[in-house]
Every structure is written in C-alpha cells, then in structure tokens.
Amino acid sequence: MTGRGRTAPGALPVLGHALPLGRRPLDFLASLPAHGDLVRIKLGPVPFHVLCDPDLVHQVLVDDRTYDKGGAIFDLVRTLAGNGLATCPHRDHRRQRRLLQPAFHRDRLPLYAEVMSSEITAMLDGWRPGRRLDVLAEMNGLTATLATRTLFAAHLDDATFAELRQCMHDALTGMMRRMILPWRWLNHLPTPGNRRFERARRRLRHYVARLTTDYRRTGVDHGDLLSILLAVRDDDGRALTEAEIHDQVFTFYLGGSETTAPLLSWALYLLARNPGVRERLHAEVDAVLGGRIAGHDDLPALDLTRRVLLETLRLYPPGWLFTRVTTRPVELAGHRLPAGSVVLYSPHIVHHRADLFPDPERFDPDRWRDDTDRLPRGVFTPFGGGARKCIGEVFATIEATLALASITARWQLDPLPGARTRLAPRLSSHLRSLPMSLRERRTAV
Ligand code: HEM
C-alpha cells in the first residue's frame, strides 16, 4: 500500500489537529487507534505519523538507526541538554551509553537508595497534620533534591545547592515556555523570562565547570554521578569533554526530576480515589515498615507498592509524547514514508487500548501480578524501549517505591474538598497542581 496512513478526522484548515491536541491531548491521542494502526495528524502544516499499534511501537523503538531521535520536541530539549544521552543522534549514542552505563550499575544503587531514604525522611519530618499540601510541588522538590544530591553528592554547601536548584528551575521553566511558543525570534527579546533563562544557563555552566575542576583536583570518588562521568574512558582512553559532561549533567537532572514527581503525585491521587487499594497498601507498608522510612533492603517485600506504581505508569505515563525522524524511506504498516518523516509514539495510546487492558480507565494494580516481561512487545512502554530505553528505569523505580511506601506508612493524603486537580500540557505528564490534605497515620519511629 502507498500513502501515509489514514488522517485523523477533525483537522482544521491551517491549524490541523493543533486544537484537540492542545486542549485535550490525552483524550485525543487515545481516540486515534479507532482510525488505524498508523494515523496521520497535522500540527499546522507539519504531518506526524502516530503509532497506535504495539507491534509498530516495538518495530520503531528497536530500529534506532532508521527511526532516529529528532523532531520539534527533541530540538527544544537540545537547547538545554545539548548532545546528551537522551537527545544525541544514533551515531553518537552507542559510545555515550557504554560510557554512562556504569553510573547505573547494580552496585551503586544501594548508595543512591541511602541518599533517597535520607531526603525522604527530611521531607516527611516537615509535614504537619491538617496541613494543606500541593503534592505535585512537594514531589517536584523531593525529586529535584534527589537528582541534585545523587549527581553531586553532599559536596555542595547549602547556598550553592539552593542556587543550583533555582538555576535548574529557571532553565526548565524557560524551556517549557519555548515549547509552547514556537516563534524562535521571541527567544531573543530581552524579556525578564529570557534573561532569567540565559542567566540560569550561564550559571549552570559555571557551576558544573567549577565542580568538575574540584573533583578532578581531589580525585575522590564521591559515589555520585559526576564522579562516574569524570572517571569513564572510551576505547581510545579518552575522557568525556567538559561540554559532554555538562550535557550529561543536564540530561540526568531533567530525566530524574521531571518524571518521578508526576508518577508519585498520580499514585497518591489514585490511591485517594480508590480507598480499597489504599487500605491494602497501608496493610503492606505497616507490616513491612511499621512506620519507619523504607530502605533498599525493604524493596523485595513492597510488592503491592510496586504494582501500584506500575498501574500508575500505565494510566498516566509521565513521558507521554516522543518523536523519531526517519533517516531513509521506509514502509510502515503498509505505508511508504519518505526520509525525514516524523513518527510519533505515545505510551498513553497503547496503555489505554481496551483490547490490551480490559476496562482500561480502571485503576487496578492487580493487573500486574505477572512479570511485565511476559507482556507482548510494545504494549507497556512507560520507559520506552530498544537501545534508547530509559537508563534510569531501575533508579526511578527504587526512588518511587521508597518514597511511596514511606509516605503511606506515615500519612494518609486526601484531595481537598472542592479543590481541582489542574491539568496542563508539560514536558512530562499533565499534572500542574494537586492540593491534598494530610492526616497522620503513624508518628515517626
Ligand atoms: C518514572 C520515571 C521515569 C520515566 C517514566 C522515564 C521515561 C523515559 C522514557 C520513555 C525514555 C525514552 C524516551 C524516548 O524513547 O525518546 C527515557 C529515556 C531516558 N531517561 Fe528516563 N524516565 C524516568 C526516570 C529517569 C531517571 C530517574 C533518569 C536519570 C537519573 C532518567 C534518564 C533518562 C535518560 C538519560 C534517557 C535517555 C536514554 C538513551 O537514549 O539512551 N530517566 N526515560
């Protein structure tokens, strides 16, 4: 068959499908499989080929030479993360992945878990019964702190740490704004937002350079990511350059903080709406933790906690839109696409197909009694797949499990009456704020 897949209905002249994708992106994406396995949508004049079938998702994810990183979203992320692991093209990827893999080696995870448990303790010690909490802001704070602490260990004094977090925040906010406003010339105007963005970028470069100089001078392995980035050598004995280190630091910060926070927030929201599951989870964490903070050794016993997180990843995958660009003419689902075509995949689409997940909108952690490895390929992809699969999957799973178990061991969170969960398109996920009330279940032990 020739052609470029069926076009989704509802395109407007000039805008194409920008309105439904902008206003109700998740509903719009979930509606696409009704129109075929490969569905064409248009944003303004630009056509996108949306993968609606798990086999196609798998086919595209495993062939990262033909379906390379590219498209508008990656171009934007590149303005901050440069040519880091998540954004670099296929030709640079193998070398980078091989060099960075040791940072996520099994042996290092207990070290990271220790930092996680101590930061979770610090967060929970600040909570008070009856307090109104914006859960998303709180989880963003936790994951940003954890990303910074695991990247740079305890090497930073508090003032530097606070400024670094602020710079990361300003840089990210600037990037989000650029994503929503596609007119590039706006980025060069001397507006307060643009100035903050540029200042944050400059300061970050300065900090990373200063830290790497310090680390190099002392030569100590701090058990953090930066120590690994400095120690790794490629086959020719070459170390990462200063620019490469900067790009990786940013990539890991972005990957580490923009994803786990919405995952934890959605999990707490779903638990509040499903009291039966929450009671069972309370029973699990009471039995395993008895009110203390979870640590690395508790992970195997936290089985329902793990399944709650898997089901949350299915319903609300934090990364919900990714693009690839074809590097040669291809045939996909019987349709011929020229080189340079933009292919779009969203875990949200396949995760909400009723033929693959019966009653797909129902929150049911018991779907996950079997290992996820037994699922057909391309069906469950919250961490992507193939060579570009998330390098932080295990790290994130540990972080989310320790946090969710520790929070629910001590606190019960409920949505505030009348308060609305706000949804808005973001780089990852759609949650913008999640006000909840706190009730103490157990005091700290
Ligand atoms: C719940 C948490 C997380 C989710 C749902 C998630 C999701 C993803 C997804 C879907 C991809 C593939 C993107 C694509 O196909 O274009 C990815 C890649 C990546 N993630 Fe994560 N991620 C999470 C946590 C993390 C953490 C904690 C880190 C770092 C510490 C991280 C670092 C990365 C990196 C560096 C890549 C690029 C991998 C490569 O191309 O080789 N992620 N992530």
Side-chain angles (χ1 to χ4, degrees), residues 164-309:
L164 219 119
R165 264 200 60 193
Q166 185 60 48
C167 289
M168 290 282 193
H169 172 83
D170 290 346
L172 269 182
T173 311
M175 195 176 78
M176 305 278 186
R177 215 189 37 246
R178 279 153 201 243
M179 228 160 120
I180 295 160
L181 302 171
W183 301 283
R184 293 289 156 92
W185 57 270
L186 284 175
N187 302 338
H188 302 293
L189 297 179
T191 60
N194 282 339
R195 281 210 298 266
R196 255 197 315 278
F197 178 73
E198 286 309 333
R199 179 178 176 279
R201 276 215 302 191
R202 261 198 326 274
R203 299 290 296 158
L204 283 169
R205 226 163 257 286
H206 164 79
Y207 274 125
V208 175
R210 207 182 79 192
L211 280 165
T212 45
T213 312
D214 280 1
Y215 273 45
R216 282 209 170 96
R217 207 184 48 234
T218 58
V220 177
D221 180 350
H222 296 280
D224 57 6
L225 282 167
L226 188 55
S227 301
I228 300 253
L229 294 177
L230 289 167
V232 291
R233 298 287 178 272
D234 64 18
D235 293 343
D236 305 328
R238 274 184 306 142
L240 290 173
T241 65
E242 214 67 22
E244 284 175 325
I245 288 177
H246 178 273
D247 291 350
Q248 304 303 357
V249 163
F250 228 100
T251 299
F252 286 126
Y253 184 86
L254 247 173
S257 51
E258 268 293 301
T259 45
T260 319
L263 167 62
L264 281 167
S265 307
W266 278 123
L268 289 164
Y269 172 83
L270 288 165
L271 286 169
R273 302 208 128 217
N274 294 272
V277 178
R278 185 164 70 181
E279 255 170 50
R280 284 169 53 207
L281 186 70
H282 284 163
E284 173 172 290
V285 293
D286 287 351
V288 177
L289 304 175
R292 68 179 165 75
I293 298 294
H296 191 259
D297 292 346
D298 297 312
L299 291 170
L302 296 168
D303 179 56
L304 181 57
T305 318
R306 178 188 68 88
R307 285 186 282 120
V308 163
L309 289 167

Side-chain angles (χ1 to χ4, degrees), residues 61 69 74 85-88 93 97 104 225 248 251-257 259-260 263 313 317-319 322-324 345 347 381-385 387-393 395-397 399-400:
L61 289 181
K69 290 268 171 142
F74 282 107
L85 184 65
T87 41
C88 69
H93 183 253
R97 183 94 185 194
F104 295 91
L225 282 167
Q248 304 303 357
T251 299
F252 286 126
Y253 184 86
L254 247 173
S257 51
T259 45
T260 319
L263 167 62
L313 283 168
F322 300 97
T323 48
R324 296 290 191 268
Y345 91 90
T381 56
F383 293 100
R388 310 297 304 238
K389 190 172 187 193
C390 180
I391 199 171
E393 177 179 358
F395 179 104
T397 306
E399 177 180 2

